Amino acid sequence: QENNKQENNKQENNNKQEEDKQEQRHIELENSENYLLKKKIQEMQQEFLKLQIEQQNSIEKIQRNFEDQLHQEKQISIKIQNDIKVLNNQIQEKVDQEENWKKKISEMENSIIELNSLKENAEIKVNQSEIEIKRLEIDLNQIMNEKDENYSKFEKALLDLDEAKAQIEELTELNKKLEK
């Protein structure tokens, strides 16, 4: 009976050891699975971190590109505004230049009108002088016919005639100058 008891104890111990071994294997297996899961989780976390970094870099790159583009657009806008200012200045210069030309043309037209008026006045005076000369010539002829009666009148008429001729020459010279 003692033997039996020992045998039973031994058997129980063996069973217990076997159970412990199985328990140990189970724990090891669990530990192994946990290890693999942890490793997988770590890999996934690293992959996620890597993706996050790539995404952040991509966002920063897009942001830099956007800022660069914004800066370029701002530069282009400034250049366009400056070009518009230059063009407006050039247009204003052309308008001012045109106004100056119009003013000069108007002054020249007024000068031409004035010269034409002077020329017309000179021609009228020449015509009046020619009429006066003809009248004086008639008077001279009358005086010459009546010279015996009034010699002093004849001499005065000669003087008047010379004066009228001098006037004609002056007016003719004036007329020539005006025509030039």
Side-chain angles (χ1 to χ4, degrees):
Q1 197 177 12
E2 184 66 34
N3 259 349
N4 232 356
K5 203 175 186 181
Q6 274 184 353
E7 189 62 36
N8 273 345
N9 272 347
K10 192 176 179 185
Q11 187 63 38
E12 241 178 72
N13 275 343
N14 281 346
N15 283 345
K16 180 86 169 133
Q17 277 182 347
E18 188 59 38
E19 275 181 29
D20 284 349
K21 278 183 186 177
Q22 281 184 354
E23 182 67 29
Q24 185 64 31
R25 271 194 234 118
H26 182 69
I27 288 170
E28 284 174 6
L29 184 66
E30 266 188 8
N31 283 343
S32 168
E33 285 176 0
N34 280 346
Y35 173 77
L36 288 173
L37 272 173
K38 283 181 183 176
K39 191 173 179 185
K40 187 72 176 166
I41 287 170
Q42 274 184 337
E43 286 173 4
M44 287 175 75
Q45 282 177 333
Q46 285 178 343
E47 189 66 29
F48 179 73
L49 192 63
K50 186 179 167 189
L51 283 171
Q52 262 189 328
I53 290 170
E54 284 177 8
Q55 187 181 24
Q56 184 64 33
N57 288 342
S58 177
I59 287 170
E60 287 174 1
K61 186 178 178 185
I62 288 169
Q63 198 170 3
R64 278 195 307 274
N65 285 344
F66 178 75
E67 287 170 358
D68 287 349
Q69 190 175 356
L70 202 64
H71 179 71
Q72 286 175 353
E73 286 174 3
K74 202 171 182 181
Q75 294 299 103
I76 289 170
S77 173
I78 289 169
K79 187 186 183 313
I80 288 172
Q81 286 174 353
N82 288 338
D83 288 350
I84 287 171
K85 283 179 186 173
V86 167
L87 284 173
N88 281 337
N89 287 340
Q90 288 175 348
I91 288 169
Q92 189 58 48
E93 283 176 15
K94 294 285 181 194
V95 167
D96 292 347
Q97 197 176 37
E98 191 176 332
E99 287 300 315
N100 284 339
W101 278 112
K102 283 181 182 175
K103 193 175 173 185
K104 285 181 181 177
I105 287 170
S106 176
E107 287 172 0
M108 287 172 74
E109 286 172 345
N110 289 338
S111 294
I112 288 170
I113 290 168
E114 197 176 323
L115 283 171
N116 284 336
S117 174
L118 286 172
K119 184 180 173 185
E120 285 172 13
N121 287 341
E123 286 172 353
I124 289 169
K125 284 184 181 177
V126 166
N127 288 339
Q128 286 174 344
S129 295
E130 285 175 349
I131 290 168
E132 183 69 19
I133 285 172
K134 284 180 184 172
R135 192 184 63 71
L136 286 172
E137 284 175 346
I138 290 169
D139 287 352
L140 180 60
N141 283 338
Q142 283 179 348
I143 289 170
M144 283 178 76
N145 288 338
E146 299 168 0
K147 68 178 178 176
D148 293 338
E149 289 177 31
N150 200 349
Y151 190 75
S152 64
K153 282 185 179 179
F154 175 72
E155 283 181 352
K156 186 183 181 304
L158 280 175
L159 288 173
D160 287 344
L161 181 64
D162 287 339
E163 190 180 325
K165 283 184 179 177
Q167 266 189 334
I168 284 179
E169 282 176 20
E170 281 179 30
L171 289 171
T172 304
E173 285 297 316
L174 179 62
N175 196 24
K176 285 180 184 176
K177 286 180 183 175
L178 287 173
E179 285 176 354
K180 287 179 184 177

